[in-house]
Amino acid sequence: MSTAVSFPSAQPAGYEWFTDEPKFDPTRHLALEAPTEIVMLSDLGYDDAEIATKATPVACSSPFRVLSDEGAEIMLILARRLLDFAKPAGDRIERMTRGGCYRSRWLRDLCISPEVSAHMASIYGVDVAPHAMPLHLGHINYQPTNLSDAVDKWHHDTLPLDCVMTVTDPATLDGGHFEWFRGTKHEMVEMRARGEVMPRERVVAPEFPGPGYAIALHGNMIVHRGAPLNALGERISMVNGYVAMDSSADEQSRSRDLIVVDDPELLYTEWAKYAAWRAHERLGALIADLPFGAGSESASAKLEASIVDVQRAIADMRAGEVVVEHYE
Ligand SMILES: [Fe+2]
């Protein structure tokens, strides 16, 4: 099993484990199935040079089953309990709960499950691990109280890779579809600058057959949203983050967006460890591979590239709050 940064063994202040939940059992609670379709970044219009710097050339998958019926029932019960800890994400999402993996061992064990991680790696076509920042594990979105609001506005993610899973049954809802844009985020920026609305013929709304189904997303590269509901109803989704184990690709994160969103008790510690892991991997590769005769320019440039994520983390932490980005 690949691990970027191990899930902490210590509990952060203010987080208590649920004491009355079942133990996660992959043989009973998982029912992993392969997706039937994989969409590539090149299908969205990204060019080879840009794709080469990213975690994977995969953009997203069609929906595939993750949880058994029993697993989906437990997930729904836990998600409802975690609503007690919901907060807004700027003006992008009205209600979401993060840090749930420090409260529910079942959710934690699902999110760091080696079986699920291996499944995700097979879809992405690269080795991946549960995200190094546990705040990005088991993120839960809830329907807004205002019907006209999108569940989550058009955006691309603050993390590279994620798995978006239905917790409630989509068949019970009118609207509230998960949607993605068949185009690049650069096109989205240009369309927004021209004041154009999202062209409906380029929006894909995959059918999720039930609760406990997910799609794999290259979330930092694919523009997506949770569309508004047409009638009030319970709509819960769970998002689990992943990172590519090959740290030579771009970091693809906007952790600074999290300053106004996340509990500082968790954020800076997790963020520092994530940046340190990235640099640690890159420095390790430099130690292993740097040949004699590298020369001043090459050696200094390689050292600099190895610590770029650490330098950016330091600068972003010190620069402080920034508005949560979205396209609306
Ligand atoms: Fe997202």
Side-chain angles (χ1 to χ4, degrees), residues 7 11 15-18 21 78 82 85 97-108 111 134-140 266:
F7 195 93
Q11 274 299 80
Y15 293 76
E16 301 285 338
W17 292 119
F18 292 163
E21 57 175 352
L78 291 171
L82 288 164
F85 307 98
T97 294
R98 288 165 63 82
C101 288
Y102 292 115
R103 301 185 191 277
S104 165
R105 290 184 177 92
W106 190 93
L107 181 62
R108 175 199 64 188
C111 292
L135 278 164
H136 287 312
L137 304 178
H139 165 122
I140 300 177
L266 305 175

Side-chain angles (χ1 to χ4, degrees), residues 92-93 139 141 152-159 162 164 178 217 219-220 222-226 239:
R92 204 186 95 191
I93 311 174
H139 165 122
N141 287 329
D152 186 358
K153 297 183 172 75
W154 286 112
H155 68 282
H156 64 267
D157 289 329
T158 60
L159 74 170
D162 47 308
V164 180
F178 177 86
L217 211 59
N220 179 249
I222 187 164
V223 177
H224 59 279
R225 73 165 182 172
V239 184

Side-chain angles (χ1 to χ4, degrees), residues 258-327:
L258 306 177
I259 295 174
V260 294
V261 171
D262 279 322
D263 183 350
E265 165 77 11
L266 305 175
L267 176 62
Y268 297 101
T269 304
E270 293 187 1
W271 187 355
K273 288 185 183 185
Y274 177 36
W277 170 71
R278 294 262 318 167
H280 182 259
E281 292 289 305
R282 287 188 172 195
L283 288 166
L286 182 149
I287 292 168
D289 301 333
L290 192 67
F292 285 120
S296 152
E297 264 313 304
S298 169
S300 55
K302 285 192 162 62
L303 276 172
E304 199 165 37
S306 299
I307 59 165
V308 67
D309 298 325
V310 165
Q311 290 183 316
R312 184 167 156 237
I314 294 167
D316 282 355
M317 285 182 191
R318 290 190 173 145
E321 291 184 2
V322 68
V323 176
V324 177
E325 266 187 38
H326 60 75
Y327 291 110

Side-chain angles (χ1 to χ4, degrees), residues 211-260:
Y213 281 75
I215 68 169
L217 211 59
H218 196 151
N220 179 249
M221 296 298 282
I222 187 164
V223 177
H224 59 279
R225 73 165 182 172
L229 289 160
N230 300 319
L232 281 178
E234 185 183 36
R235 184 208 188 270
I236 307 175
S237 57
M238 190 275 273
V239 184
N240 199 45
Y242 294 88
V243 291
M245 287 303 290
D246 179 0
S247 67
S248 66
D250 288 351
E251 186 195 35
Q252 296 182 256
S253 298
R254 294 194 315 281
S255 298
R256 196 177 162 196
D257 278 30
L258 306 177
I259 295 174
V260 294

